[in-house]
Amino acid sequence: NAGVTQTPKFQVLKTGQSMTLQCAQDMNHEYMSWYRQDPGMGLRLIHYSVGAGITDQGEVPNGYNVSRSTTEDFPLRLLSAAPSQTSVYFCASSYFLPQGGRQETQYFGPGTRLLVL
Amino acid sequence: TQLLEQSPQFLSIQEGENLTVYCNSSSVFSSLQWYRQEPGEGPVLLVTVVTGGEVKKLKRLTFQFGDARKDSSLHITAAQPGDTGLYLCAGVETAGGTSYGKLTFGQGTILTVHP
């Protein structure tokens, strides 16, 4: 299994440009999430999905759109990039086994480093 | 959204020393996870603590969940240069125990262990 993959690894955008950050997982996980990581702020949740066709907002959703048409893919769209969106973006996936108790494991991708000028 | 305060933010120690990282909140979490992150990579799960008062050990790392499930600590004994990295705590809020992909992260502790 490749796990969680993200593309591109690096991206430079100009203010106002749009782009899509790709995320895919091959573990058949139900849950997928997008986080951004900024210095001194840990990771903050942007959007998450509990299954194909179901998405919801996290802590910092403004300026970002998501959709989940398949279990495997969860793209993050920036419609009009702003310098405040300069960050490292991580996609994660996980599943929950009730019989296993609360031992859910999140698997993170390697990240996409985005610079908005 | 519940908040997790992690301290200290930076820790620079010599090889062989002991250290403790703290993760505190005013709210109760269903469970709490600790991650380690290397530069240029995503976080990797170290442990999940579920029960109030629970203690888990992973070689030289000891993780504890507070009795009230509002705080947690990570203690490293005899730190080694290979322990260098960013350590993150993350809380699961939902009552059922699953995060549904939603984790609340602390700010992180950057640990540097000098040879």
Side-chain angles (χ1 to χ4, degrees):
Chain A
N1 289 347
V4 179
T5 58
Q6 292 184 239
T7 56
K9 289 187 177 181
F10 303 95
Q11 185 70 48
V12 180
L13 290 178
K14 294 181 179 179
T15 296
Q17 287 185 317
S18 62
M19 79 161 295
T20 299
L21 281 65
Q22 300 293 342
C23 174
Q25 52 94 5
D26 60 359
M27 298 173 282
N28 201 33
H29 285 171
E30 302 168 273
Y31 311 141
M32 295 187 75
S33 311
W34 276 102
Y35 294 86
R36 59 177 288 173
Q37 185 173 34
D38 302 294
M41 302 187 73
L43 280 80
R44 292 181 293 169
L45 182 66
I46 304 171
H47 286 285
Y48 67 102
S49 170
V50 298
I54 306 171
T55 64
D56 205 348
Q57 297 180 350
E59 180 186 356
V60 288
N62 292 340
Y64 307 95
N65 281 349
V66 292
S67 61
R68 185 128 178 243
S69 56
T70 67
T71 299
E72 295 78 17
D73 300 299
F74 191 42
L76 178 71
R77 281 182 288 276
L78 283 71
L79 298 179
S80 179
S84 60
Q85 294 178 304
T86 293
S87 188
V88 182
Y89 291 86
F90 288 99
C91 179
S93 74
S94 65
Y95 70 98
F96 179 67
L97 291 176
Q99 57 266 37
R102 289 163 283 178
Q103 297 296 329
E104 177 185 338
T105 298
Q106 296 262 353
Y107 295 85
F108 283 85
T112 293
R113 284 142 189 83
L114 177 67
L115 174 62
V116 183
L117 302 175
Chain B
T1 302
Q2 297 170 297
L3 296 176
L4 271 172
E5 296 290 333
Q6 193 172 337
S7 62
Q9 190 173 356
F10 300 96
L11 204 50
S12 179
I13 62 172
Q14 294 296 125
E15 182 176 1
E17 293 184 0
N18 301 332
L19 66 109
T20 302
V21 177
Y22 298 93
C23 190
N24 297 299
S25 174
S26 58
S27 303
V28 174
F29 285 96
S30 175
S31 61
L32 203 135
Q33 300 180 336
W34 284 91
Y35 290 82
R36 180 180 167 188
Q37 185 179 15
E38 301 280 358
E41 299 180 4
V44 175
L45 180 68
L46 295 174
V47 77
T48 301
V49 284
V50 174
T51 306
E54 182 177 6
V55 176
K56 282 191 174 180
K57 293 191 175 184
L58 189 64
K59 295 183 180 178
R60 293 176 293 100
L61 279 61
T62 301
F63 305 86
Q64 186 164 5
F65 202 11
D67 291 341
R69 290 188 285 126
K70 294 182 179 181
D71 55 88
S72 182
S73 64
L74 157 62
H75 182 79
I76 301 179
T77 303
Q80 299 177 0
D83 295 326
T84 294
L86 173 66
Y87 289 83
L88 295 156
C89 63
V92 177
E93 299 179 24
T94 52
T98 179
S99 73
Y100 297 109
K102 298 169 57 179
L103 292 177
T104 299
F105 280 87
Q107 303 96 319
T109 296
I110 298 175
L111 171 65
T112 304
V113 182
H114 301 280

